[in-house]
Amino acid sequence: MTTPFLDTARRVIRAESAALETLADSLDDRFRVAIDMMRACKGRVIVTGIGKSGHIAKKIAATLASTGTPAQFVHPAEASHGDLGMITAADVVLAISNSGEAPELGNLIAYSRRFDIPLIGMTSRPESALGSQSDVILALPQLGEACGTGAVPTISTTMTLALGDALAVALMENRAFTAEHFRNFHPGGKLGAQFSRVRDLMHSGDALPLVHEDVDMSRALAEIGSKAFGVTGVSDDEGRIIGIITTGDLGRHMEGMMALKARDVMTRNPITVGPDDLAERAVGIMNARKITCLLVVEPAAPDILIGLLHIHDCLRVGLG
């Protein structure tokens, strides 16, 4: 069932979708020039705008910063009252104004011209004050707004946001921005957890449960209890990891267990991971095998135990 509200919503979304297609088709070599300018920047990309363009500018600055391009939003009105000092000759300015005539941008534009700071203008009017002063113009197609009156920034802000995303992703790909880089900038929340490495979450050193294969099971049980992981690794005379004792192993050897040695109870060839494996991969292994711990070994010496990863450590950061 359709309603006037749904009709309006669909009309707006389709209008904005069509505008994005037009924007994509309109891009030319000026986009490459802007990218080169931002790549060559020794300082930060200063993103600025007022009103709705200011809100979009903040998001663009945040996206650039989180994808490897140092960036900062500077409010143009505050810039006129001292914040111009945040902008240096090593920076590049990305100024956003759909009309290109926002008076609040005047002093910031003049400052960039006075000190020869590269200026990229994002506007739908290349002939405007912003367009005429910019070193390169990223032109937005003049397509009106989805409200029908032209008074509510909708299509224009959607295109501006998308063009900012295009800049950020193009720069990110050019820099070969990796998952490891992304994790460095996103250590918190689900994104950070997805890119966590096993070494970030594993237990090591004195926290590791480990016994020699010749110890009595009373000693092995004490080690399991004191380290509180429900398991212990088992090593040989050379310190190589040769097995693991889990609660499952204990259950299978209940009768006469105290007369046994660790090597009699352990499971040989335990499942292991490397410290640089993604923790998300380790969780997948634990879920598939229905186990709660993985031993972590040296990649170059897969029989040398260096850590233990418990499922609870992964759940604590949002994996699982």
Side-chain angles (χ1 to χ4, degrees):
M1 176 180 177
T2 187
T3 69
F5 304 114
L6 284 175
D7 289 342
T8 299
R10 289 168 178 149
R11 186 188 75 243
V12 169
I13 292 170
R14 286 170 179 148
E16 295 191 356
S17 176
L20 292 177
E21 289 290 341
T22 301
L23 172 64
D25 292 339
S26 74
L27 295 180
D28 54 26
D29 196 55
R30 290 174 295 182
F31 185 86
R32 180 196 59 78
V33 174
I35 290 292
D36 288 344
M37 195 177 292
M38 296 165 81
R39 284 178 57 228
C41 176
K42 301 300 183 183
R44 295 157 300 169
V45 176
I46 303 298
V47 192
T48 188
I50 195 74
K52 301 300 184 293
S53 292
H55 294 306
I56 300 298
K58 290 178 184 177
K59 193 274 180 187
I60 292 174
T63 300
L64 287 168
S66 71
T67 52
T69 300
Q72 177 182 345
F73 172 77
V74 172
H75 195 290
E78 297 294 342
S80 297
H81 296 276
D83 283 1
L84 284 173
M86 296 179 178
I87 308 172
T88 74
D91 298 332
V92 169
V93 174
L94 172 60
I96 302 170
S97 171
N98 187 43
S99 70
E101 300 291 350
E104 293 86 354
L105 289 173
N107 288 332
L108 196 152
I109 292 172
Y111 183 84
S112 73
R113 302 301 78 191
R114 186 180 312 126
F115 294 101
D116 199 26
I117 299 169
L119 175 63
I120 302 169
M122 193 180 293
T123 178
S124 65
R125 295 180 57 200
E127 74 284 358
S128 64
L130 172 60
S132 63
Q133 293 296 320
S134 296
D135 295 302
V136 60
I137 302 169
L138 296 177
L140 300 168
Q142 297 185 30
L143 300 174
E145 303 292 1
C147 63
T149 67
V152 182
T154 46
I155 286 176
S156 61
T157 49
T158 296
M159 289 193 296
T160 303
L161 181 62
L163 190 50
D165 287 343
L167 288 169
V169 173
L171 286 163
M172 180 181 75
E173 291 184 353
N174 179 267
R175 288 191 171 96
F177 197 76
T178 66
E180 183 64 23
H181 294 130
F182 196 85
R183 189 184 72 82
N184 290 338
F185 292 136
H186 300 77
K190 184 67 174 177
L191 286 175
Q194 285 178 337
F195 293 110
S196 294
R197 301 287 177 178
V198 167
R199 71 168 65 253
D200 300 322
L201 304 177
M202 72 182 191
H203 302 268
S204 58
D206 292 340
L208 278 180
L210 184 64
V211 297
H212 188 271
E213 62 176 322
D214 287 334
V215 304
D216 295 334
M217 277 306 298
S218 59
R219 176 68 185 86
L221 287 171
E223 182 75 355
I224 292 172
S226 65
K227 300 300 172 64
F229 295 113
V231 303
T232 184
V234 182
S235 64
D236 63 12
D237 290 336
E238 283 74 43
R240 297 173 301 187
I241 191 75
I242 59 171
I244 187 172
I245 299 175
T246 68
T247 53
D249 296 315
L250 298 179
R252 286 187 289 272
H253 295 84
M254 285 297 292
E255 187 173 350
M257 183 194 310
M258 302 312 289
L260 300 176
K261 303 290 187 181
R263 63 172 173 270
D264 301 320
V265 177
M266 71 181 186
T267 295
R268 294 185 178 274
N269 302 315
I271 302 166
T272 62
V273 291
D276 293 320
D277 287 343
L278 285 174
E280 193 168 41
R281 173 179 175 270
V283 170
I285 293 173
M286 286 188 275
N287 287 337
R289 299 282 185 153
K290 295 182 172 55
I291 56 179
T292 60
C293 288
L294 285 171
L295 300 181
V296 185
V297 295
E298 283 283 4
D303 53 2
I304 301 301
L305 182 68
I306 61 172
L308 181 144
L309 181 68
H310 196 281
I311 189 66
H312 288 167
D313 301 311
C314 301
L315 293 174
R316 175 170 45 80
V317 298
L319 294 174

PDB file of all heavy atoms in Angstrom, residues 11-29:
ATOM      1  N   ARG A  11      10.385   9.668  -4.054  1.00  0.00           N
ATOM      2  CA  ARG A  11      10.756  10.721  -4.997  1.00  0.00           C
ATOM      3  C   ARG A  11      12.077  11.372  -4.596  1.00  0.00           C
ATOM      4  O   ARG A  11      12.963  11.602  -5.430  1.00  0.00           O
ATOM      5  CB  ARG A  11       9.655  11.784  -5.058  1.00  0.00           C
ATOM      6  CG  ARG A  11       9.909  12.851  -6.132  1.00  0.00           C
ATOM      7  CD  ARG A  11       8.925  13.996  -6.060  1.00  0.00           C
ATOM      8  NE  ARG A  11       9.217  14.898  -4.937  1.00  0.00           N
ATOM      9  CZ  ARG A  11       8.414  15.113  -3.925  1.00  0.00           C
ATOM     10  NH1 ARG A  11       7.254  14.469  -3.831  1.00  0.00           N
ATOM     11  NH2 ARG A  11       8.747  15.958  -2.971  1.00  0.00           N
ATOM     12  N   VAL A  12      12.233  11.648  -3.299  1.00  0.00           N
ATOM     13  CA  VAL A  12      13.461  12.283  -2.810  1.00  0.00           C
ATOM     14  C   VAL A  12      14.663  11.369  -3.038  1.00  0.00           C
ATOM     15  O   VAL A  12      15.709  11.791  -3.550  1.00  0.00           O
ATOM     16  CB  VAL A  12      13.327  12.636  -1.312  1.00  0.00           C
ATOM     17  CG1 VAL A  12      14.674  13.050  -0.732  1.00  0.00           C
ATOM     18  CG2 VAL A  12      12.301  13.749  -1.123  1.00  0.00           C
ATOM     19  N   ILE A  13      14.519  10.117  -2.653  1.00  0.00           N
ATOM     20  CA  ILE A  13      15.646   9.180  -2.774  1.00  0.00           C
ATOM     21  C   ILE A  13      16.019   8.968  -4.231  1.00  0.00           C
ATOM     22  O   ILE A  13      17.207   8.923  -4.593  1.00  0.00           O
ATOM     23  CB  ILE A  13      15.303   7.849  -2.084  1.00  0.00           C
ATOM     24  CG1 ILE A  13      15.204   8.056  -0.566  1.00  0.00           C
ATOM     25  CG2 ILE A  13      16.332   6.774  -2.417  1.00  0.00           C
ATOM     26  CD1 ILE A  13      14.638   6.882   0.201  1.00  0.00           C
ATOM     27  N   ARG A  14      15.025   8.845  -5.104  1.00  0.00           N
ATOM     28  CA  ARG A  14      15.319   8.654  -6.528  1.00  0.00           C
ATOM     29  C   ARG A  14      15.958   9.899  -7.129  1.00  0.00           C
ATOM     30  O   ARG A  14      16.857   9.803  -7.983  1.00  0.00           O
ATOM     31  CB  ARG A  14      14.042   8.267  -7.274  1.00  0.00           C
ATOM     32  CG  ARG A  14      13.633   6.813  -6.992  1.00  0.00           C
ATOM     33  CD  ARG A  14      12.263   6.482  -7.504  1.00  0.00           C
ATOM     34  NE  ARG A  14      11.943   5.074  -7.221  1.00  0.00           N
ATOM     35  CZ  ARG A  14      10.717   4.640  -6.976  1.00  0.00           C
ATOM     36  NH1 ARG A  14       9.680   5.475  -6.994  1.00  0.00           N
ATOM     37  NH2 ARG A  14      10.519   3.358  -6.716  1.00  0.00           N
ATOM     38  N   ALA A  15      15.516  11.070  -6.690  1.00  0.00           N
ATOM     39  CA  ALA A  15      16.111  12.310  -7.193  1.00  0.00           C
ATOM     40  C   ALA A  15      17.577  12.403  -6.774  1.00  0.00           C
ATOM     41  O   ALA A  15      18.446  12.797  -7.561  1.00  0.00           O
ATOM     42  CB  ALA A  15      15.326  13.516  -6.669  1.00  0.00           C
ATOM     43  N   GLU A  16      17.852  12.033  -5.529  1.00  0.00           N
ATOM     44  CA  GLU A  16      19.228  12.097  -5.057  1.00  0.00           C
ATOM     45  C   GLU A  16      20.087  11.027  -5.727  1.00  0.00           C
ATOM     46  O   GLU A  16      21.254  11.265  -6.046  1.00  0.00           O
ATOM     47  CB  GLU A  16      19.266  11.969  -3.535  1.00  0.00           C
ATOM     48  CG  GLU A  16      18.589  13.160  -2.843  1.00  0.00           C
ATOM     49  CD  GLU A  16      18.842  13.201  -1.351  1.00  0.00           C
ATOM     50  OE1 GLU A  16      19.483  12.271  -0.819  1.00  0.00           O
ATOM     51  OE2 GLU A  16      18.399  14.172  -0.709  1.00  0.00           O
ATOM     52  N   SER A  17      19.500   9.861  -5.960  1.00  0.00           N
ATOM     53  CA  SER A  17      20.227   8.797  -6.656  1.00  0.00           C
ATOM     54  C   SER A  17      20.591   9.225  -8.076  1.00  0.00           C
ATOM     55  O   SER A  17      21.728   9.023  -8.527  1.00  0.00           O
ATOM     56  CB  SER A  17      19.388   7.519  -6.680  1.00  0.00           C
ATOM     57  OG  SER A  17      20.020   6.503  -7.424  1.00  0.00           O
ATOM     58  N   ALA A  18      19.642   9.838  -8.758  1.00  0.00           N
ATOM     59  CA  ALA A  18      19.897  10.306 -10.120  1.00  0.00           C
ATOM     60  C   ALA A  18      20.958  11.406 -10.127  1.00  0.00           C
ATOM     61  O   ALA A  18      21.811  11.477 -11.023  1.00  0.00           O
ATOM     62  CB  ALA A  18      18.603  10.822 -10.751  1.00  0.00           C
ATOM     63  N   ALA A  19      20.934  12.245  -9.095  1.00  0.00           N
ATOM     64  CA  ALA A  19      21.924  13.317  -8.996  1.00  0.00           C
ATOM     65  C   ALA A  19      23.331  12.757  -8.828  1.00  0.00           C
ATOM     66  O   ALA A  19      24.303  13.275  -9.396  1.00  0.00           O
ATOM     67  CB  ALA A  19      21.581  14.234  -7.827  1.00  0.00           C
ATOM     68  N   LEU A  20      23.450  11.689  -8.064  1.00  0.00           N
ATOM     69  CA  LEU A  20      24.759  11.078  -7.866  1.00  0.00           C
ATOM     70  C   LEU A  20      25.298  10.494  -9.173  1.00  0.00           C
ATOM     71  O   LEU A  20      26.496  10.550  -9.440  1.00  0.00           O
ATOM     72  CB  LEU A  20      24.684   9.993  -6.791  1.00  0.00           C
ATOM     73  CG  LEU A  20      24.429  10.483  -5.362  1.00  0.00           C
ATOM     74  CD1 LEU A  20      24.306   9.295  -4.407  1.00  0.00           C
ATOM     75  CD2 LEU A  20      25.539  11.418  -4.900  1.00  0.00           C
ATOM     76  N   GLU A  21      24.413   9.917  -9.985  1.00  0.00           N
ATOM     77  CA  GLU A  21      24.838   9.421 -11.290  1.00  0.00           C
ATOM     78  C   GLU A  21      25.341  10.567 -12.161  1.00  0.00           C
ATOM     79  O   GLU A  21      26.375  10.460 -12.842  1.00  0.00           O
ATOM     80  CB  GLU A  21      23.672   8.706 -11.993  1.00  0.00           C
ATOM     81  CG  GLU A  21      23.289   7.375 -11.371  1.00  0.00           C
ATOM     82  CD  GLU A  21      24.340   6.303 -11.587  1.00  0.00           C
ATOM     83  OE1 GLU A  21      25.183   6.461 -12.509  1.00  0.00           O
ATOM     84  OE2 GLU A  21      24.328   5.304 -10.844  1.00  0.00           O
ATOM     85  N   THR A  22      24.629  11.690 -12.124  1.00  0.00           N
ATOM     86  CA  THR A  22      25.053  12.860 -12.897  1.00  0.00           C
ATOM     87  C   THR A  22      26.393  13.377 -12.400  1.00  0.00           C
ATOM     88  O   THR A  22      27.279  13.744 -13.186  1.00  0.00           O
ATOM     89  CB  THR A  22      23.989  13.975 -12.797  1.00  0.00           C
ATOM     90  OG1 THR A  22      22.740  13.487 -13.301  1.00  0.00           O
ATOM     91  CG2 THR A  22      24.404  15.201 -13.597  1.00  0.00           C
ATOM     92  N   LEU A  23      26.558  13.413 -11.082  1.00  0.00           N
ATOM     93  CA  LEU A  23      27.827  13.858 -10.499  1.00  0.00           C
ATOM     94  C   LEU A  23      28.976  12.964 -10.950  1.00  0.00           C
ATOM     95  O   LEU A  23      30.041  13.450 -11.342  1.00  0.00           O
ATOM     96  CB  LEU A  23      27.723  13.855  -8.976  1.00  0.00           C
ATOM     97  CG  LEU A  23      29.020  14.118  -8.199  1.00  0.00           C
ATOM     98  CD1 LEU A  23      29.535  15.523  -8.486  1.00  0.00           C
ATOM     99  CD2 LEU A  23      28.796  13.924  -6.699  1.00  0.00           C
ATOM    100  N   ALA A  24      28.762  11.655 -10.887  1.00  0.00           N
ATOM    101  CA  ALA A  24      29.821  10.717 -11.291  1.00  0.00           C
ATOM    102  C   ALA A  24      30.232  10.945 -12.740  1.00  0.00           C
ATOM    103  O   ALA A  24      31.424  10.939 -13.073  1.00  0.00           O
ATOM    104  CB  ALA A  24      29.341   9.278 -11.087  1.00  0.00           C
ATOM    105  N   ASP A  25      29.257  11.166 -13.597  1.00  0.00           N
ATOM    106  CA  ASP A  25      29.544  11.388 -15.018  1.00  0.00           C
ATOM    107  C   ASP A  25      30.229  12.729 -15.270  1.00  0.00           C
ATOM    108  O   ASP A  25      30.907  12.900 -16.293  1.00  0.00           O
ATOM    109  CB  ASP A  25      28.250  11.315 -15.838  1.00  0.00           C
ATOM    110  CG  ASP A  25      27.658   9.908 -15.871  1.00  0.00           C
ATOM    111  OD1 ASP A  25      28.413   8.946 -15.629  1.00  0.00           O
ATOM    112  OD2 ASP A  25      26.443   9.786 -16.130  1.00  0.00           O
ATOM    113  N   SER A  26      30.057  13.686 -14.360  1.00  0.00           N
ATOM    114  CA  SER A  26      30.599  15.026 -14.562  1.00  0.00           C
ATOM    115  C   SER A  26      32.054  15.166 -14.140  1.00  0.00           C
ATOM    116  O   SER A  26      32.708  16.154 -14.476  1.00  0.00           O
ATOM    117  CB  SER A  26      29.759  16.052 -13.781  1.00  0.00           C
ATOM    118  OG  SER A  26      30.025  15.960 -12.378  1.00  0.00           O
ATOM    119  N   LEU A  27      32.586  14.188 -13.399  1.00  0.00           N
ATOM    120  CA  LEU A  27      33.956  14.306 -12.909  1.00  0.00           C
ATOM    121  C   LEU A  27      34.941  14.329 -14.074  1.00  0.00           C
ATOM    122  O   LEU A  27      34.791  13.605 -15.050  1.00  0.00           O
ATOM    123  CB  LEU A  27      34.280  13.141 -11.970  1.00  0.00           C
ATOM    124  CG  LEU A  27      33.483  13.076 -10.665  1.00  0.00           C
ATOM    125  CD1 LEU A  27      33.921  11.871  -9.846  1.00  0.00           C
ATOM    126  CD2 LEU A  27      33.642  14.354  -9.856  1.00  0.00           C
ATOM    127  N   ASP A  28      35.965  15.173 -13.944  1.00  0.00           N
ATOM    128  CA  ASP A  28      36.962  15.302 -15.002  1.00  0.00           C
ATOM    129  C   ASP A  28      38.350  15.393 -14.385  1.00  0.00           C
ATOM    130  O   ASP A  28      38.550  15.038 -13.218  1.00  0.00           O
ATOM    131  CB  ASP A  28      36.660  16.516 -15.892  1.00  0.00           C
ATOM    132  CG  ASP A  28      36.522  17.809 -15.078  1.00  0.00           C
ATOM    133  OD1 ASP A  28      37.109  17.882 -13.978  1.00  0.00           O
ATOM    134  OD2 ASP A  28      35.824  18.728 -15.537  1.00  0.00           O
ATOM    135  N   ASP A  29      39.304  15.878 -15.141  1.00  0.00           N
ATOM    136  CA  ASP A  29      40.696  15.888 -14.690  1.00  0.00           C
ATOM    137  C   ASP A  29      40.917  16.774 -13.475  1.00  0.00           C
ATOM    138  O   ASP A  29      41.932  16.637 -12.788  1.00  0.00           O
ATOM    139  CB  ASP A  29      41.608  16.340 -15.837  1.00  0.00           C
ATOM    140  CG  ASP A  29      43.070  16.005 -15.569  1.00  0.00           C
ATOM    141  OD1 ASP A  29      43.367  14.807 -15.308  1.00  0.00           O
ATOM    142  OD2 ASP A  29      43.916  16.925 -15.567  1.00  0.00           O
TER     143      ASP A  29
END
